[in-house]
Amino acid sequence: MISRVKTGRAAQRALRSQCLTRQSDRRSYAIPPAPSGSYSFQTGEIRGVKFGSRDLPGPTTQLAVVAKAGTRYQPLPGVSEGLEKFAFKSTEKRSSLRITRETELLGAELYAYHSRENLVIGAKFLRDDLPYFVELLGEVITQTSFWQYELNEQVVPTIKIHQERFLANVDEFALNAAHSVAFHRGLGTPLHPMSSIPLTKYLSMESIGMFSRSAWAKPNFAVVANGANHEELSQWVGDFFRDATETFPKYPSPPKTIPTKYHGGELRLAHDGGNCLIIAFPGSGAYYGSHYKPEIAVLSSLLGGQSNIKWSPGFSLLSKATRGQPFVRVSTRNHTYSDAGLLVISLSGDASNIREASHNIIEILKAIASGDISKEDITKARAFAKFRSMEAGQRVGTGLELTGAGLIQSGKAWQIDGIGKAIEEVTETMVKDAAKSLLEGRATISAVGDSYILPFGEELGLNI
């Protein structure tokens, strides 16, 4: 009788040798290596597929396919999430069960998610298993079967669970409402379809299948890896992604990239699950685009909210301004997109405390705009903004998505070195002018919770 251990080891060896036994007469490419210790990505293109990698030392690799297929580009509500949920389901070559079992035998992890602009499918695995997972991701984007039973029994029920979680999370609900008010369509589309939207009307095998044809067309996605040899990655990408559609199909039409327009306004929603007030302004776009504003990153760090040092209130102005409201959590973040950004100040907790703290926050913004801020605070904020940007680029998952998006949108990788230099050059005057511009422009207010107590934007002295 053959032991289970021996059978499992034999299966692992068979899987790992599956891609390595292919013909070796491939064309080699002379690609200069990245500098030692650099977090910069090497980029290239083979057979119409853009790809990038950074060969950091280590025993594991993370691989992702990033497509310009987030909710901003979906033609119908829910199809972006529907396509995400179909990742690693049955293909023309393998069942979803086989994909699961093979991944388990190799000790790997599969994942898929979508953001407002991107759809990402990927895998984390041991470095030697790169050929297998490049083949698997190529198979997923070109040969997924889209069976009706998988839609009915797995995809739709999962989407409904996410809908319930989304409605129960006051902070996320308010953030999506703020995007809707600020941008209307496009970036204003919720990350998850609202429960009031009839899924059966928009979500079908035909709508998801047609969206996948444009989402996985070669001009619309990029392959990005962390911990992989660049030349080796180029060979496997050339082999396993060659069957992807060369150009956008005539039907459906390519994802529409309508330039984002900021609108602003106010939205108030009653909710008995908590309280959240969002005060938002036009922010900074992505570094690879023309709407990048490094002074917004410094202003975001200067405002702050949550301390980055344990047992200390921190240097940020909002953490100091809300000391008298112990039941309020406040944070500031710039949500970055390819051609726009949204600078969000979020307050959650007790409604009365939120009301008091919100007035203090506006006074802080006015103080920054008038230049009534110490030079030391600006220096701290600039240093922390640089750290956060560099840390985000060093973080594997974030770096893969941003690099993939950069390759699709502009043909350039997202490089953290340039961002750090841009932030270093931000002056006090630039931060002051940025705050002044925000207050003079139209703000976005999203209030979810006890609408009787939560303040109106007009009461805060903002232009709505």
Side-chain angles (χ1 to χ4, degrees):
M1 182 177 179
I2 302 176
S3 70
R4 183 175 300 178
V5 174
K6 290 183 178 180
T7 304
R9 289 175 179 171
Q12 287 178 338
R13 287 193 295 269
L15 285 172
R16 286 185 172 131
S17 63
Q18 179 179 350
C19 296
L20 297 176
T21 56
R22 301 177 183 272
Q23 56 183 357
S24 59
D25 57 342
R26 299 182 181 85
R27 182 179 179 182
S28 60
Y29 298 84
I31 302 172
S36 177
S38 172
Y39 282 92
S40 299
F41 279 85
Q42 294 177 265
T43 61
E45 183 172 334
I46 184 169
R47 293 185 176 178
V49 178
K50 303 178 186 69
F51 66 96
S53 68
R54 53 185 179 188
D55 192 6
L56 296 181
T60 63
T61 298
Q62 185 166 340
L63 177 72
V65 180
V66 182
K68 192 174 73 172
T71 52
R72 173 181 181 176
Y73 304 107
Q74 63 183 6
L76 295 171
V79 295
S80 181
E81 185 166 6
L83 184 57
E84 173 215 321
K85 297 297 186 288
F86 261 108
F88 308 112
K89 295 294 188 290
S90 299
T91 68
E92 296 175 7
K93 293 176 60 177
R94 311 175 221 219
S95 66
S96 59
L97 178 61
R98 177 181 169 183
I99 292 173
T100 301
R101 292 292 181 261
E102 290 180 348
T103 302
E104 290 174 342
L105 283 169
L106 295 177
E109 176 184 336
L110 304 176
Y111 64 90
Y113 68 90
H114 72 282
S115 60
R116 297 187 186 277
E117 291 195 302
N118 304 310
L119 171 61
V120 182
I121 64 170
K124 303 175 185 179
F125 48 88
L126 296 175
R127 191 182 183 100
D128 292 340
D129 298 329
L130 177 66
Y132 171 83
F133 286 99
V134 176
E135 180 183 20
L136 177 61
L137 294 189
E139 184 180 318
V140 167
I141 72 170
T142 59
Q143 301 181 38
T144 295
S145 298
F146 296 111
W147 294 110
Q148 184 68 46
Y149 80 91
E150 290 181 326
L151 175 68
N152 297 338
E153 299 175 9
Q154 300 174 22
V155 174
V156 172
T158 306
I159 292 178
K160 289 182 177 180
I161 291 174
H162 281 280
Q163 285 180 325
E164 294 175 0
R165 292 175 56 188
F166 168 70
L167 292 175
N169 189 323
V170 177
D171 294 350
E172 188 175 352
F173 195 65
L175 180 61
N176 276 272
H179 277 79
S180 178
V181 172
F183 301 119
H184 294 183
R185 299 186 184 275
L187 290 176
T189 304
L191 276 175
H192 306 286
M194 303 295 291
S195 58
S196 57
I197 294 178
L199 287 179
T200 54
K201 179 179 178 180
Y202 298 109
L203 208 60
S204 65
M205 301 308 308
E206 291 75 17
S207 63
I208 298 175
M210 287 191 295
F211 182 56
S212 71
R213 295 172 203 163
S214 59
W216 300 125
K218 287 183 179 180
N220 203 58
F221 73 86
V223 183
V224 192
N226 188 86
N229 178 271
H230 192 73
E231 185 174 356
E232 182 182 355
L233 178 65
S234 69
Q235 293 174 352
W236 296 121
V237 169
D239 279 353
F240 298 128
F241 284 81
R242 60 188 174 190
D243 293 333
T245 306
E246 294 289 341
T247 58
F248 289 110
K250 294 182 179 180
Y251 185 81
S253 58
K256 296 181 180 179
T257 309
I258 301 174
T260 299
K261 181 181 178 181
Y262 176 83
H263 299 276
E266 184 167 7
L267 180 64
R268 301 173 65 82
L269 299 167
H271 199 294
D272 62 356
N275 302 284
C276 183
L277 175 69
I278 284 182
I279 305 171
F281 305 93
S284 169
Y287 176 70
Y288 53 78
S290 59
H291 295 76
Y292 178 63
K293 302 173 184 177
E295 62 271 21
I296 293 295
V298 178
L299 179 59
S300 175
S301 296
L302 181 61
L303 291 171
Q306 300 296 322
S307 174
N308 59 315
I309 303 174
K310 194 173 184 179
W311 311 121
S312 168
F315 74 90
S316 72
L317 301 181
L318 297 192
S319 65
K320 297 176 182 178
T322 56
R323 287 178 184 176
Q325 291 81 36
F327 302 108
V328 171
R329 298 186 306 277
V330 59
S331 63
T332 307
R333 179 186 172 188
N334 178 60
H335 293 263
T336 302
Y337 306 106
S338 59
D339 62 348
L342 193 65
L343 180 63
V344 172
I345 302 173
S346 176
L347 300 94
S348 56
D350 178 74
S352 299
N353 277 216
I354 290 176
R355 183 182 181 89
E356 295 174 11
S358 60
H359 288 277
N360 297 338
I361 288 172
I362 302 305
E363 293 302 317
I364 290 293
L365 277 172
K366 291 179 179 178
I368 298 173
S370 63
D372 190 18
I373 299 297
S374 69
K375 184 177 180 179
E376 182 181 358
D377 284 338
I378 297 291
T379 302
K380 291 178 181 177
R382 186 166 48 233
F384 189 53
K386 180 181 178 182
F387 164 75
R388 288 205 300 188
S389 299
M390 302 291 276
E391 183 196 29
Q394 185 176 343
R395 206 178 302 137
V396 175
T398 305
L400 292 182
E401 181 180 356
L402 291 174
T403 298
L407 289 173
I408 300 167
Q409 301 279 358
S410 65
K412 299 178 181 178
W414 186 82
Q415 308 291 16
I416 62 177
D417 297 336
I419 295 177
K421 184 178 179 180
I423 291 176
E424 286 178 350
E425 296 174 352
V426 174
T427 63
E428 296 178 45
T429 303
M430 293 171 66
V431 177
K432 173 185 172 181
D433 292 344
K436 185 177 180 180
S437 175
L438 297 183
L439 291 172
E440 291 176 349
R442 195 176 185 191
T444 294
I445 298 293
S446 172
V448 178
D450 191 341
S451 56
Y452 177 75
I453 298 178
L454 295 175
F456 286 84
E458 184 182 4
E459 295 174 345
L460 298 175
L462 297 171
N463 298 321
I464 301 299

